Amino acid sequence: MTDAPPDPDLDPRLLEILVCPVTRGPLIYDRAKAELVSKGARLAYPIRAGVPIMLPEEARTLEEGE
């Protein structure tokens, strides 16, 4: 059994055009957690196999202080 390869870094050009689907505001790339964070919506969208999953129902709600 082999481990899945780590998620590749996101293309910086993709980060420039992606926005939060809820607020249409900017996203912050959290490389350590493999997430795109929307401070305005208080959501963190997962990145799986290098692909951002930009569905609000797939996003994690940010905890207080995040």
Side-chain angles (χ1 to χ4, degrees):
M1 177 179 222
T2 61
D3 292 332
D7 284 342
D9 283 336
L10 247 77
D11 185 332
R13 293 171 295 178
L14 182 60
L15 289 173
E16 290 176 13
I17 61 171
L18 284 176
V19 295
C20 174
V22 175
T23 65
R24 301 285 184 230
L27 296 165
I28 301 166
Y29 178 39
D30 184 336
R31 182 177 296 179
K33 292 182 180 177
E35 296 176 327
L36 291 174
V37 177
S38 170
K39 296 283 187 179
R42 304 220 19 89
L43 294 172
Y45 298 95
I47 301 169
R48 297 185 186 131
V51 178
I53 310 301
M54 303 303 295
L55 300 170
E57 57 270 15
E58 291 286 323
R60 174 178 71 82
T61 302
L62 295 178
E63 298 293 325
E64 228 14 80
E66 275 190 282

